Amino acid sequence: MIGVVADRTSASDYNDDMSRAKSLGIDAFALNIGIDDYTDEQLGYAYDSAANNGMKVFLSFDFNWFSTSQAPDIGAKIAQYGSKAAQLKVGDNGDQVFVSSFRGDGLDVDVVRSSAGMPLFFAPNFEASNVASVDAALNWIAWPNNGNNKAPSAGSNITVKEGDDAYTSALAGKPYIAPASPWFSTHYGPEVSYSKNWIFPADLLWYNRWAEILDLAPQYVEIITWNDYGESHYIGPLSSPHVDDGGSKWVNDMPHDGWLEMAKPFIAAYKAGSTSVGDYITDDQIIYWYRPSLKSASCDSTDNTAKPANVDTGNYFQGIPNGADEVADSVFVVALLTEAGTVEVTSGSNHNSFNAQAGANAFAVDMGTGQQSFSLKRGGTTVLSGTSLKEISDGCVCGIYNFNAYVGTLPAGPSDPLRSPDGFANFVDGLAPGICEPRPSLGTAPLVAPAITSSPSPKTQSRPSTDIQASMASSKLSIATSSASAPSIATPIPLIATSSSPVPTPMTSTAPTTTQPDGTTPITALSQLYPTNCLQATQIWAGPAGSDSPARCDSS
C-alpha cells in the first residue's frame, strides 16, 4: 500500500516505485485513498505510471476519512478508474475490478456495486465477523496484539496466525488476503492532533511471517506497507517522494530497503507454490536490523511524548511507547545462503558465531552499544564482511524514544538518505530546540546498485500468474504491499505489491588521493561525502581555500 504522496508532480514520480517493486516480484499497489493521500490528479499519475511500467494498481478506501454513508460516492469513484489500463482485475474472465479498504464495516456493499456499474471483486478490511457481503477479506493486523489494537498484555496475546485462522474460518472458502509486515512503531506526541505512541512487538516477525505464509499458502498476501513511514512498517526507500506527517524524527537515517531484499526469494517461492525458500536463493546475503538505542534509555527530559496529549482515542501513552517491555534488546540477523557457512556478529563488545545452513537462517544476539559488524565465512575464507553505518547508543538519538529499526545488508546496497525537503517538513516539530538538524547524518555505503536478476525457475508446479494489487501477494508467495485479492478457483495469482519509492541514483566522484604517512586521507570533492558532506574518520579537507569545507558538520 502506498500513500502520503500529495507532493508528486507527474507520473514519472511513481516510476521508480513501480519498477523497483516489479523487479522484486510485486504485482500491484493499493492506492490508499484518504483526504490528503490521493486527489484525482495523483490517482491519474499513479495509474499512468503503472501502465507504463507493466504494473497494476487498485483503490483502497481509508475509512479513517471516508464514511460508511458514502457508498454511492465510493461506487462512483470506482467507476471513474475501473476501466483504466492499469486497474487490477481478477476473476475467471478477468473482468472484476479489484477494490479494497482500510476498515469500513457497515458499508452498504450492494449500493457500492450498483453505483460502480461494473463487476467488482470487493476485498475490504472488514472484521472477520462481517464478511458475508464481500468477495474476499483483508486482515490488517499483521503484528502480535492484545485484541484491541495494542501490544500484547498479560493474558491477552493474539498471534498473527490466530488472525489467519479467524478470517479463513469466517470466509468459509472465499479468498483470504494474508498480511505480512516487518515492524510497527509510532511516536506522535502533542505536537500533532493524532497523537499516538505505541509499538507492536516485531523482532524476527518479518522472517517468521514469511515462513508462515509459505505453509499457509493464502490466495493473496498484502505487505503492510510500502511507505507508511509514520508507523515504521515501510519497506520502500526513504528517498521515495512523500509528505512528512511528523514521522521523519524517527525515520531519518533508518532505511528499510534490506527487508524488501530479504523478501525477494520468499516471494518467488510463494508464487511458485513452494513451501521452501532455499531453491530461490541465488546469492549469499546477510540482512540485519536493530533499534538505535537500548530500551533502558530514559528520554523523558527531552521527548515531547513525556507531555500530556489527547488520550480519547486510547492510542496515546506518555513517555516510553506502550509495548516497549515486549521487545528484545537484540540485533536480528537473517542469512540467505547458497551453501552452509559461519555467520559472525559483533555487537559492541558482544561477539557471536553461528553455524548456518544453506537456505534461510535467522539469529538474534544481545545488543551491545557501539559498532555493529557482520561476516560470513566458509572454510577459512571470508565471503562477506562489513560494519553497519549505524551504531547502537545507550542514550536518546535526537532526544526521543526511537523504536524504529535500522536495516542493513551485506553486500551493502546503495545509500538511501531521506533527502526531500517535503520528507523533512515537520522534523523539528516536537523536538527539543537545537537537538537535531533535518538532514541525513549517516556515512555512505558503496554507491553500487544491486543487480536485478529474474527469479529462478521453480522446481515445483507454479500457480498461474495474474495481476495483483500493490502490497498484496497471491498464494504460494506473491508479495505485495498493502493488499490485493484474488479469485478462489483457478485464477491468476496476484504478485506482491508495495507502495513505491525511487531508487537512489548512484553518484560519481573523483577518487580520493592516496593515504598519507600519518594515516589521513585528503578529501577535495564534496560529492565523495554524499549525502552528509561531513568528514569521516581519518579524512582531512584539502579543497580550495574558501570553499565550503565539510568540517562545518558536527556530531548532532
Side-chain angles (χ1 to χ4, degrees):
M1 177 175 291
I2 184 171
V4 294
V5 292
D7 60 339
R8 300 193 179 192
T9 59
S10 69
S12 63
D13 282 346
Y14 287 87
N15 287 346
D16 287 332
D17 289 331
M18 298 290 175
S19 61
R20 183 181 179 105
K22 183 177 181 179
S23 74
L24 290 155
I26 292 169
D27 304 300
F29 279 110
L31 306 178
N32 185 68
I33 306 177
I35 288 180
D36 298 321
D37 286 338
Y38 279 100
T39 61
D40 282 335
E41 182 178 55
Q42 291 293 335
L43 287 173
Y45 295 155
Y47 271 85
D48 288 348
S49 176
N52 294 338
N53 287 279
M55 283 284 285
K56 297 296 180 180
V57 291
F58 61 92
L59 304 180
S60 180
F61 293 88
D62 190 335
F63 282 88
N64 274 331
W65 309 110
F66 279 90
S67 165
T68 54
S69 65
Q70 293 179 277
D73 299 327
I74 290 169
K77 182 64 70 175
I78 295 168
Q80 185 179 353
Y81 292 94
S83 298
K84 288 187 172 291
Q87 170 64 48
L88 175 65
K89 294 182 180 180
V90 297
D92 292 340
N93 298 319
D95 62 347
Q96 293 178 289
V97 174
F98 193 96
V99 182
S100 190
S101 77
F102 174 69
R103 299 180 177 172
D105 295 80
L107 179 71
D108 192 325
V109 178
D110 289 337
V111 171
V112 172
R113 294 184 192 275
S114 62
S115 299
M118 57 182 62
L120 300 186
F121 189 82
F122 192 58
N125 166 227
F126 287 1
E127 296 289 339
S129 59
N130 189 27
V131 296
S133 63
V134 306
D135 301 301
L138 161 67
N139 173 15
W140 181 265
I141 304 299
W143 314 271
N145 65 94
N146 68 349
N148 192 31
N149 198 37
K150 294 296 177 296
S153 55
S156 184
N157 185 354
I158 300 174
T159 66
V160 187
K161 179 63 170 61
E162 288 173 315
D164 292 336
D165 294 342
Y167 271 91
T168 53
S169 175
L171 286 164
K174 292 180 182 179
Y176 171 52
I177 301 170
S181 187
W183 207 254
F184 186 105
S185 174
T186 189
H187 194 61
Y188 296 98
E191 71 276 4
V192 297
S193 60
Y194 39 89
S195 306
K196 54 183 183 179
N197 180 31
W198 87 92
I199 62 175
F200 287 119
D203 293 351
L204 277 170
L205 174 66
W206 187 234
Y207 173 84
N208 292 329
R209 182 57 178 161
W210 279 113
E212 286 182 349
I213 285 172
L214 293 188
D215 288 338
L216 178 64
Q219 290 89 341
Y220 298 96
V221 173
E222 174 169 345
I223 296 174
I224 303 174
T225 60
W226 184 257
N227 73 341
D228 190 334
Y229 303 104
E231 291 185 349
S232 307
H233 43 62
Y234 54 97
I235 62 170
L238 298 179
S239 51
S240 182
H242 65 277
V243 177
D244 179 24
D245 60 2
S248 58
K249 289 180 281 295
W250 54 89
V251 168
N252 183 37
D253 293 338
M254 304 291 275
H256 287 181
D257 311 71
W259 277 333
L260 191 51
E261 288 296 316
M262 194 214 85
K264 185 176 181 180
F266 285 95
I267 292 171
Y270 166 72
K271 289 182 176 180
S274 176
T275 58
S276 174
V277 72
D279 292 342
Y280 301 89
I281 296 171
T282 57
D283 299 287
D284 293 320
Q285 194 171 29
I286 292 176
I287 300 94
Y288 55 87
W289 60 91
Y290 50 85
R291 303 189 323 276
S293 302
L294 301 176
K295 63 183 180 181
S296 59
S298 177
C299 309
D300 282 359
S301 62
T302 51
D303 194 311
N304 208 35
T305 62
K307 301 174 183 177
N310 178 19
V311 297
D312 293 343
T313 62
N315 292 333
Y316 187 65
F317 300 85
Q318 284 186 234
I320 193 168
N322 172 257
D325 54 343
E326 298 295 325
V327 301
D329 269 350
S330 297
V331 175
F332 305 100
V333 181
V334 169
L336 304 176
L337 304 184
T338 58
E339 302 175 48
T342 301
V343 175
E344 296 186 352
V345 182
T346 300
S347 178
S349 60
N350 301 330
H351 182 76
N352 301 264
S353 182
F354 304 94
N355 293 323
Q357 303 304 308
N361 306 260
F363 312 102
V365 305
D366 290 342
M367 275 185 177
T369 58
Q371 288 189 337
Q372 311 298 305
S373 298
F374 308 86
S375 68
L376 168 65
K377 296 179 180 179
R378 288 195 184 103
T381 300
T382 299
V383 180
L384 296 173
S385 180
T387 298
S388 173
L389 298 176
K390 188 78 171 180
E391 295 190 358
I392 292 177
S393 169
D394 58 1
C396 305
V397 179
C398 286
I400 67 172
Y401 291 105
N402 189 344
F403 278 72
N404 191 5
Y406 174 87
V407 186
T409 64
L410 288 179
S415 297
D416 178 29
L418 178 62
R419 55 177 136 195
S420 164
D422 287 347
F424 275 115
N426 296 306
F427 181 84
V428 298
D429 295 349
L431 283 184
I435 199 167
C436 256
E437 295 181 7
R439 59 172 174 81
S441 62
L442 291 178
T444 57
L447 295 172
V448 179
I452 296 176
T453 58
S454 58
S455 299
S457 300
K459 298 183 179 178
T460 56
Q461 179 63 41
S462 299
R463 301 178 65 177
S465 68
T466 70
D467 296 331
I468 192 169
Q469 73 193 54
S471 40
M472 179 135 211
S474 65
S475 78
K476 297 278 186 188
L477 259 217
S478 254
I479 297 176
T481 53
S482 248
S483 79
S485 64
S488 55
I489 300 176
T491 56
I493 297 174
L495 297 185
I496 296 174
T498 64
S499 34
S500 62
S501 60
V503 179
T505 302
M507 296 183 62
T508 58
S509 62
T510 305
T513 56
T514 307
T515 301
Q516 303 301 299
D518 63 357
T520 62
T521 301
I523 296 295
T524 59
L526 286 178
S527 62
Q528 292 171 354
L529 304 176
Y530 176 86
T532 59
N533 287 344
C534 297
L535 288 175
Q536 308 300 306
T538 77
Q539 295 175 340
I540 58 172
W541 179 242
S547 63
D548 190 15
S549 166
R552 69 187 186 283
C553 298
D554 56 38
S555 60
S556 66

